[in-house]
Amino acid sequence: MRGTAMLTPRIRTLGTALREARIDARFGLRELARRVGTNPALVSNWELGQRIPALEDVAGILGALGVVGAEKQRILQLARGTAEPGWVARGKQSAPDHLGGLLACERAATSVVEWQPLLVPGLLQIPDYARALFLADGLSLKDAERQAELRMMRRPLVVGPGAIPCEVLLGEAALRNPVGGPATMARQLRFLADLMATSAKLSVRVVPAGNGGHPGLAGRFCVYHVEVGDPIVYFEHQHSGAFLLDEGNDTYCEVADRIREVSLDSRASAAFVQRTAQEFREIAQRKKAGGA
């Protein structure tokens, strides 16, 4: 199909890659369209992911822009799989294609449901918490700082005037894993409690550790509901990110419903987060006093 595109992350990531290549080469839409023998509106549609370019169209654009080497092969590889409903983007979340697919989901989303059994979700993390995770993943301090900044730049999706409805289902372990140490966890959970109290678009519900037997035990996932088409389901792995269309049967939406059934309500969840933040604060104070 080379007409109107399904709103898949791969198609949107390809469009973003073409747009960035054009901007890096300092070409305008009209000039690029003239070089490849098409009209500017079609090039714009390709960049927005609204239409799917043929592989030869992508190759022609890259040739006109002077894109060569590894970057050319990366973009051509994106173009080869646009008909597939699912996509595995290789590399950590900071890798260009993986991050591009994630950002494409966030731009297309009208609402989000995320299940996180072990960690505070990236969009709700404070810089110290995010930095500690990236350092534990083996990044240098400089790279960890940069990735933490990128993560903060994505927060307007859930906080601020442009926020969309976001529901987070959070395992108790995510609140108790001492990422970055007790002081960092105390700050992270106080920040989360403040968001829960002030954000009209954010809903956080805690699943206590004793409430086992639900399908969320199989692992974390995020569902992006979009205006047109099936929801997009995202899974983050150690060295890849998987994007699938939840076609027809709303499988992961049903899983979220079942997790929701064993979670605390919003008020009890807020109290749980506040108590856990206070526990970490007291641990940090005792640790500081003991080392003084």
Side-chain angles (χ1 to χ4, degrees):
M1 181 183 70
R2 298 298 161 194
T4 301
M6 294 182 297
L7 299 178
T8 66
R10 186 168 192 148
I11 292 168
R12 289 178 174 271
T13 303
L14 171 61
T16 298
L18 292 174
R19 181 176 183 274
E20 290 176 349
R22 175 177 61 78
I23 292 173
D24 289 344
R26 301 191 178 188
F27 270 59
L29 277 171
R30 292 183 180 277
E31 174 62 13
L32 177 59
R34 185 183 66 79
R35 291 284 186 98
V36 298
T38 189
N39 64 76
L42 182 56
V43 175
S44 178
N45 285 337
W46 288 341
E47 292 184 354
L48 293 172
Q50 295 174 348
R51 294 178 71 86
I52 308 175
L55 182 60
E56 55 268 27
D57 293 320
V58 174
I61 287 174
L62 298 179
L65 297 176
V67 179
V68 298
E71 182 65 4
K72 177 181 179 180
Q73 294 306 314
R74 179 180 78 86
I75 297 175
L76 287 175
Q77 186 60 37
L78 282 172
R80 289 188 182 101
T82 52
E84 300 171 6
W87 175 40
V88 176
R90 296 182 181 181
K92 296 180 184 292
Q93 196 180 87
S94 56
D97 289 346
H98 190 160
L99 182 60
L102 184 59
L103 293 175
C105 286
E106 293 178 357
R107 285 192 293 268
T110 55
S111 65
V112 179
V113 178
E114 182 166 0
W115 160 238
Q116 274 285 2
L118 298 176
L119 296 171
V120 174
L123 292 172
L124 305 182
Q125 292 172 7
I126 63 171
D128 287 350
Y129 185 99
R131 187 183 306 110
L133 285 176
F134 287 124
L135 289 172
D137 202 27
L139 270 65
S140 67
L141 179 59
K142 181 178 179 181
D143 287 341
E145 293 278 3
R146 183 171 63 86
Q147 292 304 319
E149 289 175 4
L150 287 174
R151 187 158 285 185
M152 299 309 110
M153 291 173 62
R154 292 166 46 213
R155 186 173 291 157
L157 183 75
V158 295
V159 179
I164 63 175
C166 179
E167 180 182 21
V168 175
L169 302 169
L170 202 58
E172 180 178 345
L175 303 177
R176 298 201 179 278
N177 285 335
V179 175
T184 294
M185 281 303 299
R187 291 193 298 273
Q188 172 63 73
L189 296 185
R190 287 201 302 270
F191 176 76
L192 180 58
D194 288 343
L195 285 182
M196 294 169 68
T198 59
S199 175
K201 297 294 182 71
L202 176 65
S203 169
V204 178
R205 297 180 63 170
V206 175
V207 179
N211 289 0
H214 59 80
L217 296 176
R220 60 185 175 178
F221 61 87
C222 188
V223 179
Y224 296 92
H225 295 274
V226 295
E227 187 171 358
V228 178
D230 297 308
I232 299 167
V233 184
Y234 167 67
F235 311 86
E236 181 185 357
H237 303 284
Q238 184 66 20
H239 293 285
S240 64
F243 301 87
L244 304 175
L245 291 182
D246 199 11
E247 297 178 291
N249 56 7
D250 291 337
T251 304
Y252 286 90
C253 296
E254 293 175 1
V255 171
D257 286 339
R258 293 178 63 185
I259 298 173
R260 205 175 286 116
E261 290 174 359
V262 297
S263 68
L264 302 176
D265 63 26
S266 297
R267 179 174 295 183
S269 295
F272 196 109
V273 172
Q274 291 166 357
R275 285 197 306 271
T276 311
Q278 181 61 27
E279 291 171 11
F280 274 114
R281 182 172 181 272
E282 291 171 359
I283 293 171
Q285 289 175 337
R286 289 197 297 270
K287 186 176 180 179
K288 182 177 180 180

